[in-house]
Amino acid sequence: MLYLTILGSTGSIGRATISIVKNHLDKIKIFSLVANKNVDLMKDQCLLFRPKYAAMFHKKSAEILRKKLRKNGCKTKVLFGKQGIYEIAKLNEVDQVISAITGIDGLIPTFFSIMRGKRILIANKETIVTSGRLLLKYAKKYGSQIFPIDSEHSAIFQILSNEEKKKLGFLSLKRLGISKIVLTGSGGPFLNFPLKKFKTITPNKACNHPNWKMGKKISVDSATMINKGFEYIEARYLFNASKHEVSIIIHPQSIIHAMVYYRDGSMTAQFSNPDMRIPISYSIFYPDRFPIKVSLIDYKKLSNLTFLDPSYERYPCLKLAIDAFEEGQSSVIVLNAANEISVDSFLSGKIQFTDIVKVNSYILERTSFPEPTNINSILEIDRETRKISKSFIKTLRR
Ligand SMILES: NC(=O)c1ccc[n+]([C@@H]2O[C@H](COP(=O)([O-])OP(=O)(O)OC[C@H]3O[C@@H](n4cnc5c(N)ncnc54)[C@H](OP(=O)(O)O)[C@@H]3O)[C@@H](O)[C@H]2O)c1
């Protein structure tokens, strides 16, 4: 029996994971669940799986959950706050941890699970981009294997041999005969939207992704394509790739998730309908593959696939992310923090869609931090940047 923890169980990735587990209760036991404040869904998940532990970041939500579970005769131990979540991330009994909290809040729990040597199924890209090499060094040191859940990185990961999979962060693409990794992106909901009208984009429109149903933060990130910029950074770290070894292409149908070019002219691509259960299921069951209820690709329709280069005029945040990586780790942390604040402000109606890039680039230009050497220095840069971003946003309010 495989014991699983889901960090972010009530979110889009968490729910996709749960829908897989439901069909494999003979193989997987949900040991612990973590969320922020969605008590109703957490209650349902606890009553269904009777995990040993559940934690809510929000204290009041944890209290409500505890009462509701008690009333239903459920013995799940309910924890709360950062400490409660960290306790769950460190549990020895667990084999695998799904890291699917949104934003940098997922960083410390993910590190705690890495330090316990677990298999980490990582969706939380903000953790990968802000801690980069440190995360991969920790994984190596503590014998924790990282399985990327982002569909593009999972696509490349699936192409690697078993031995190469264990060397994430320390591969030599050249030695593997790989000349280039190509990440695809749909272009989001505004691929063909008139640039002149970008100011009118509302949170509802930005979250209405044409191919994927995701949480709000990543949906807005996909609309600005900073999400693809973060995935570029993720690929640079995970596959130890140089800037000439990674490129990005827009592929509006989201059928091919990544392609790998080899030095001898050959190319491998991974195809599937856009459904996050595929990379999640792959990572949970690896090295086996079990059926999940997903629709298969109709190869007769593949002649409709299209590809185009991303425009930095339409997606300036994509360029910011690529450039930040060249500047160094502290610039990436700054960009991630500024972006978390600007996207949150856009979603709560404080700023316009077009202000997101204004905030992100202003903060990148105005801040400079020494390169971080440990988790505390990453968090310090993050904290400082958030403060500066919030004050700048006050000057922009409409
Ligand atoms: N969705 C996708 O298809 C997809 C694909 C690739 C990568 N990712 C990455 O996966 C991560 C999750 O994305 P998502 O779309 O699943 O987001 P989401 O739907 O917004 O879910 C986020 C989850 O994290 C929980 N959470 C948020 N802040 C927390 C905190 N401080 N402490 C504990 N739990 C907290 C939320 O709990 P509540 O529900 O209680 O607020 C929820 O369970 C992101 O980093 C995203 O970039 C997502």
Side-chain angles (χ1 to χ4, degrees):
M1 187 63 91
L2 185 161
Y3 284 66
L4 186 68
T5 286
I6 308 178
L7 303 174
S9 66
T10 53
S12 156
I13 293 289
R15 283 179 275 120
T17 306
I18 285 201
S19 77
I20 296 167
V21 174
K22 270 187 192 165
N23 294 316
H24 293 282
L25 293 171
D26 54 328
K27 300 180 202 70
I28 309 170
K29 160 97 186 118
I30 294 207
F31 197 77
S32 38
L33 297 171
V34 169
N36 180 20
K37 51 176 155 182
N38 187 343
V39 179
D40 289 338
L41 185 52
M42 182 58 106
K43 183 199 87 184
D44 292 347
Q45 293 178 346
C46 287
L47 292 181
L48 187 61
F49 296 109
R50 309 266 161 171
K52 187 138 189 211
Y53 298 94
M56 307 295 292
F57 178 73
H58 191 240
K59 187 175 176 188
K60 191 100 195 122
S61 304
E63 283 162 13
I64 299 170
L65 178 69
R66 198 174 291 124
K67 279 188 201 143
K68 288 191 178 203
L69 293 184
R70 212 175 293 145
K71 208 168 143 195
N72 284 280
C74 176
K75 293 197 174 109
T76 298
K77 188 171 174 195
V78 178
L79 310 175
F80 70 89
K82 284 185 184 172
Q83 289 313 322
I85 296 171
Y86 298 168
E87 221 176 286
I88 285 184
K90 290 182 197 167
L91 289 170
N92 276 328
E93 298 93 322
V94 171
D95 302 296
Q96 297 188 5
V97 175
I98 310 266
S99 168
I101 290 175
T102 304
I104 203 158
D105 288 346
L107 185 129
I108 297 195
T110 304
F111 267 82
F112 278 137
S113 296
I114 288 175
M115 289 160 76
R116 288 291 190 273
K118 309 294 175 197
R119 180 185 289 192
I120 311 291
L121 285 58
I122 189 158
N124 174 223
K125 66 191 78 190
E126 293 90 347
T127 284
I128 303 180
V129 302
T130 54
S131 63
R133 290 215 57 77
L134 191 68
L135 177 129
L136 295 159
K137 277 190 196 159
Y138 267 58
K140 189 175 181 196
K141 180 173 171 191
Y142 291 96
S144 162
Q145 199 176 353
I146 304 285
F147 281 66
I149 296 276
D150 245 333
S151 57
E152 299 75 5
H153 307 77
S154 173
I156 299 160
F157 190 75
Q158 291 185 42
I159 292 167
L160 298 176
S161 74
N162 295 353
E163 274 315 299
E164 291 153 6
K165 282 183 171 62
K166 292 181 190 153
K167 295 183 191 156
L168 275 198
F170 302 92
L171 294 164
S172 162
L173 294 180
K174 200 169 173 194
R175 222 176 295 139
L176 299 177
I178 294 174
S179 55
K180 194 178 269 288
I181 284 169
V182 182
L183 306 174
T184 62
S186 68
F190 308 122
L191 178 60
N192 298 308
F193 195 72
L195 282 175
K196 282 186 291 190
K197 291 191 175 170
F198 265 44
K199 275 193 165 194
T200 66
I201 291 171
T202 60
N204 275 347
K205 280 186 190 157
C207 290
N208 189 19
H209 195 280
N211 304 340
W212 301 94
K213 286 280 153 272
M214 310 181 283
K216 287 183 180 171
K217 155 74 167 51
I218 185 176
S219 296
V220 176
D221 285 352
S222 299
T224 63
M225 266 192 94
I226 201 168
N227 180 53
K228 207 50 56 182
F230 287 152
E231 289 177 6
Y232 167 91
I233 296 171
E234 203 179 331
R236 295 280 307 266
Y237 281 131
L238 292 177
F239 306 112
N240 197 22
S242 72
K243 80 173 186 195
H244 305 294
E245 289 173 327
V246 184
S247 66
I248 291 168
I249 191 148
I250 292 187
H251 164 46
Q253 298 79 19
S254 300
I255 295 293
I256 294 182
H257 302 288
M259 302 179 253
V260 170
Y261 282 92
Y262 297 91
R263 297 168 85 194
D264 59 6
S266 180
M267 188 178 94
T268 315
Q270 192 259 352
F271 293 64
S272 70
N273 279 319
D275 189 323
M276 287 308 292
R277 287 176 302 164
I278 297 172
I280 298 170
S281 158
Y282 175 81
S283 306
I284 292 178
F285 295 119
Y286 176 84
D288 298 319
R289 288 195 191 246
F290 287 102
I292 45 174
K293 286 177 193 146
V294 290
S295 58
L296 293 181
I297 289 178
D298 178 356
Y299 53 81
K300 289 185 217 104
K301 291 187 185 152
L302 290 183
S303 57
N304 298 332
L305 302 189
T306 53
F307 304 90
L308 61 150
D309 288 323
S311 144
Y312 289 146
E313 193 191 359
R314 184 169 291 274
Y315 302 112
C317 281
L318 170 62
K319 178 141 178 35
L320 281 187
I322 294 173
D323 291 347
F325 184 84
E326 294 307 325
E327 292 287 320
Q329 183 70 77
S330 63
S331 295
V332 175
I333 300 167
V334 166
L335 177 59
N336 180 69
N339 186 63
E340 284 195 29
I341 297 295
S342 58
V343 169
D344 190 55
S345 303
F346 166 66
L347 285 170
S348 55
K350 290 181 194 143
I351 61 171
Q352 294 178 333
F353 184 77
T354 42
D355 289 331
I356 294 174
V357 68
K358 259 189 224 163
V359 175
N360 294 355
S361 49
Y362 177 90
I363 302 299
L364 266 175
E365 275 166 27
R366 297 293 190 289
T367 51
S368 166
F369 294 97
E371 285 298 90
T373 49
N374 53 36
I375 299 173
N376 282 341
S377 46
I378 294 172
L379 295 176
E380 185 54 33
I381 298 173
D382 176 77
R383 258 193 306 271
E384 274 306 302
T385 307
R386 280 167 196 269
K387 270 192 230 155
I388 305 166
S389 307
K390 282 179 189 165
S391 338
F392 179 57
I393 282 172
K394 281 189 189 140
T395 69
L396 287 179
R397 281 202 186 167
R398 39 186 182 171

